[in-house]
Amino acid sequence: MTGGEHGGERGSERGGAIGRRRFLGYVVAAPTLVTAAQLVPAQLVPARPAAAAAPPVPEQAPELVPELGDLLDLNDLMTAAALPTSGLISVGIGGDGTVSFALPRAEVGQGITTSTAMLIAEELAVPLDRVRVTLADARPELLFNQLTGGSNTTISTYTPIRVAAAVARLRLLEAAAAELGAPVAGLTLKAGVITGPSGRSIGIGALAARAASDTTMRVRVELAPRESFTVIGRPHNRVDALDAVTGRKKFAMDLAVPGAKPTMVCRPPTINGKVGSVANLAEVRAMPGVTDAVVISTGVAVRADTFGQCIDAVRALKVSWRPGTAEGKSDASVLRELEAAELPLGIRPPTPFVEGRFTFAFRSNSALEPNCAIADVRADRAEIWSALKSPIVAQQAIAAMLGLPVGRVTVHVTEGGGSFGRKLFFDAAMEAAEVSQKLGKPVKLMWHRADDSRQGRTHPMATSRVRAAYLGETVLSFQQRHTSVSTDLGHGLGEIITALAARLPVADAGFAQTFFHLSQSMPYAFGVSSRLLSETDKGFNTGSMRNVYSPDVTCARELIVDQLAARMGKDPYRFRHDRLGDARSRAVLAKVAEAGAWGRPMAPGTAQGIALHGEYKSVSAALIEIDCRPETVNRPIRDGVTGPRVTRAVFAVDAGLVVNPRGLEAQMMGGIMDGIALALTAGLHLRDGHFLEASWDNYFYTRQWNTPPELRIIIMPSTSDRPGGAGELAVAASMAAVACAYGRATGTMPTGFPINHATLSFTPKPTVPPIPPSPADGLDHAR
Amino acid sequence: MPEYTFRVNGAQVTVDVAGDVRLLWVLRDLLGITGPKYGCGINVCKACTSHLNGKAVNPCAIPVSALRPTDEVTTIEGLAATSGQDLHPMQRAWLEHDVAQCGYCQPGQIMAAVALVRRVAAEGREITDADLDGLRNICRCGTYFRIREAIRAGAENM
Ligand code: FES
Ligand code: FES
């Protein structure tokens, strides 16, 4: 449920014939025009779709629980959680004719500053390049409404942003009417200029003061109808593209905050180990360029004139370490823990069945921009700069740690260099604040890549066990038991869910259970289906990596679907298509089958795979072609993993109303690359309490040599008035389709992911010192 | 402290710093040239890729003492000027293909792409899939496909 669905008040409620939806916005008291809307208008309580549509849930009825995802997905929950908020989001018109808007979300590459600018440009009829979208500082009064996650940004902001812009449009037209001596109805607003019947015109900048109000008042507006859109739905390039290609785009570490010198932390050799003692602090403080060295809760911090000197200082520190939270653990021992925690599948069915058990390794959540933050902590106040997806939670946690009132901690949200869930956590901001307070100096704190790989957030290791019973051509039941190292949802999303969990028809479900059920649903008519999650071991630094549980759960499901099809002698595409109840799902699947020439003859050792995934009110399908022939698998690449090559990817997405097709396509492309990595190459090896991977030459995210040379992304036409979520969507179907293609090419269903996990393709770097030296032979590699 | 002199983006600079400090930190932390990004510090991610005398290098792996006064370092900030235009043809191709997502890797990607096209042109041949497969720059946002398209387009105008 989005605001747009429920937010409309019928203009015709007093008996008018045609119902145009009207929305409530505000003109805010200010010297130049500022208009606003509630991020989610308070009257828009979703009509309890779960309560309305759900069958009565008897107590302790686990079989019904999984279908919750169909009734009320995570986005409804996040939208509902936003209701008590009183915060407004506002649009300002400048005297120079520019329009400004501070988005209470994090831009980490997903393109929401661009789509937001497009919404404003549409309603206000101004050129896109006159709209300046910045990222709002932490605004505690927004409560849960300043959390970037669950692919929810467009869903939850689509209507309120347009309402604020529409109020501005109305006020500007009214001011122009007075100025031009003509009724509003006789005016046209185009490209930021209002023209009257006489041909006289005036720019919106010249009206900014006149349209302003010295009191705040409520205004009712209509939104531009979908048929009239000229900006929304057309492909637009990113608003920050020029800055990105010229090096002008500023990330946290690029900011020049006075006195904030480079700072790094010497970290333990095992996960979450603690400092015992340091033998040579004074010596390290005397190293060239080093200004400070101090023990903090997570290690030993060093501050220097350059990061290069921080690296040298970290490497020089002699620290004795105390054990961490995963001491002695390895992939094999965690697998045993998972097996012990697995929920039973129940008694064996009397009918034929297929079964599979799949294992998914830990995966690194690292973005290319490492974990980093700037902090300037003074006696009575603090200022933080970091790319934060949950800045309010960060602000509160930092204030509590520093012993300052929340109002004395300013948190600036900077543009982020990728996130994939990582920036829901604010551990670098906490560390920067701690160091700055201890030293009484501003710091620019950055994690080394090795820190991010070894001590950073991971997608937890998991197993998925699936059993599907069938008779003839009918699947009678489909049971999935997903067992995972605990996912840390404690970054704000968990709080949303706790607050509302009591209202949901879920008996005794914890956070993760709730999240799991809300994000998963069964698209196929497979009789009695159930999916249950069980979690174990909180000793790891985990997080909700892009698409959270869905890639693994979907991958396991789709591999078993292929097995079922094979048992019944059916084509994997037709088998799926015939069992999909939802028309949108059938359409995306049929689209990739057609566009990807499903079933075309393929050479031995190569094959196609097909898979489906729906979430965030969107549906998607992937068709993958893979080459597993030895000459391809073993093609040489220095310090890289080659392996099977995905030679073609065809992807179809129905994300409802699409604001920016070009941005949507970009998100799908990124998700496909993630899916390829998760299926084939990207995993962490846990040995003796630490991860072996320490950089990109160990952790094999998709590289150019793994990229499909042929890629086609199809955006399905949609008549929906509602946008769906898309930032994470593409990962699950892509991973699953790669796995299915691999299974069909090799004749063996893969059961361990990434597929290359059993082979260690590198020599692990030492853990003491915790970060590698910088090479000095760069000139030898000039090319 | 020793002084090191070299050229950056067309201007001569002198820095007063220990000789083993890598060029990346001299650029970013001392000279405030932040286009080259840090992604690994060990010459594997290529986010810091810049040019030295027209060739692609990784400043995270070059001690500042290795530079001579005549050495010309070009970072993304100075790339356009080398083409005598507001934007280098490769930057323009990047815009046309809307390559960047978060943008963090893109300065390095563009600098690597320009060097690749120059190298291939010097060998008197066209860019192949194998050339593109050989690019080592990581893009964690997964923009690889648009990078390939943009390089081919940018090469036409270089
Ligand atoms: S930071 Fe220079 S190659 Fe990664
Ligand atoms: S655009 Fe984000 S890392 Fe490449």
Side-chain angles (χ1 to χ4, degrees), chain A residues 216-262:
Chain A
T216 294
M217 48 189 187
R218 283 151 62 112
V219 178
R220 273 176 203 282
V221 286
E222 284 182 2
L223 298 182
R226 183 178 172 155
E227 313 79 72
S228 76
F229 287 172
T230 59
V231 183
I232 296 174
R234 308 249 171 115
H236 276 273
N237 288 356
R238 291 180 61 106
V239 292
D240 55 357
L242 182 62
D243 284 351
V245 305
T246 52
R248 291 199 289 263
K249 183 166 176 177
K250 294 275 182 261
F251 300 90
M253 295 295 95
D254 302 336
L255 301 176
V257 173
K261 282 193 191 265

Side-chain angles (χ1 to χ4, degrees), chain A residues 338 341 343 460 482-489 511-513 516 533-538 549:
Chain A
L338 291 172
L343 296 172
H482 198 70
T483 314
S484 178
V485 164
S486 285
T487 302
D488 185 347
L489 297 170
F511 285 177
Q513 280 284 352
F516 181 78
L533 170 73
S534 145
E535 295 204 323
T536 181
D537 199 334
K538 294 191 188 314
Y549 297 108

Side-chain angles (χ1 to χ4, degrees), chain A residues 307 449 638 645 702 774 778, chain B residues 22 29 39 61 133 136 144:
Chain A
F307 278 110
R449 174 60 49 198
R638 171 176 61 85
R645 178 84 184 254
T702 303
S774 299
Chain B
R22 305 302 189 269
D29 300 340
D133 279 2
R136 302 189 65 90
Y144 298 111

Side-chain angles (χ1 to χ4, degrees), chain A residues 107-110 236-238 240-242 244-251 253-255 262 264 288-289 305-309 311-312 364-370 416-420 444 446-450 545-546 635 637-640 645 660-663 665-667 669-671 673-674 694-697 699 701-712 765 772-779 781-783, chain B residues 1 17-18 20-22 25-26 28-30 32-47 51-52 54-63 66-68 71 75-80 86-87 90-107 109-112 115-116 119 123 129 131-149 151-152:
Chain A
E107 169 67 63
V108 290
Q110 75 279 52
H236 276 273
N237 288 356
R238 291 180 61 106
D240 55 357
L242 182 62
V245 305
T246 52
R248 291 199 289 263
K249 183 166 176 177
K250 294 275 182 261
F251 300 90
M253 295 295 95
D254 302 336
L255 301 176
M264 277 183 156
D305 292 337
T306 67
F307 278 110
Q309 288 156 325
I311 292 172
D312 294 344
S364 170
N365 203 173
S366 290
L368 190 54
E369 174 195 33
S419 168
F420 321 105
K444 182 182 265 192
M446 184 175 83
W447 287 34
H448 194 280
R449 174 60 49 198
M545 187 156 118
R546 195 178 196 179
R635 66 199 188 279
I637 292 277
R638 171 176 61 85
D639 292 338
R645 178 84 184 254
N660 184 8
R662 202 152 204 208
E665 194 185 279
Q667 288 306 299
M669 177 176 56
M673 301 308 153
D674 281 19
S695 198
W696 301 108
D697 54 342
Y699 182 73
Y701 181 69
T702 303
R703 303 283 280 269
Q704 280 291 4
W705 54 85
N706 311 113
T707 299
E710 277 185 68
L711 173 70
R712 184 157 169 219
K765 299 187 203 323
S774 299
D777 63 348
L779 288 185
H781 302 292
R783 54 199 307 255
Chain B
M1 203 118 44
V17 67
D20 62 350
V21 172
R22 305 302 189 269
W25 310 117
V26 171
R28 291 185 52 88
D29 300 340
L30 303 180
I33 298 169
T34 56
K37 300 293 183 238
Y38 167 87
C40 71
I42 55 169
N43 203 356
V44 300
C45 77
K46 307 290 176 181
H51 293 170
L52 181 69
K55 289 191 168 179
V57 291
N58 288 90
C60 68
I62 300 174
L67 296 179
R68 292 159 310 185
D71 278 335
T75 68
I76 188 72
E77 287 94 337
L79 178 67
D86 289 355
L87 286 174
M90 197 58 79
Q91 290 171 311
R92 212 167 289 132
W94 241 250
L95 292 179
E96 268 152 29
H97 287 81
D98 203 33
V99 175
Q101 288 189 27
C102 80
Y104 194 83
C105 72
Q106 302 298 349
Q109 301 277 8
I110 293 169
M111 297 307 278
L116 171 67
R119 193 161 69 237
E123 291 168 16
D129 268 329
D131 290 324
L132 297 171
D133 279 2
L135 284 170
R136 302 189 65 90
N137 298 57
I138 287 178
C139 175
R140 180 63 179 82
C141 297
T143 66
Y144 298 111
F145 190 78
R146 285 191 184 173
I147 288 173
R148 296 168 91 95
E149 291 183 308
I151 293 177
R152 287 205 154 99

Side-chain angles (χ1 to χ4, degrees), chain A residues 496-516:
Chain A
I496 290 184
I497 293 176
T498 341
L500 285 215
R503 286 177 48 191
L504 298 173
V506 185
D508 287 322
F511 285 177
Q513 280 284 352
T514 308
F515 190 105
F516 181 78

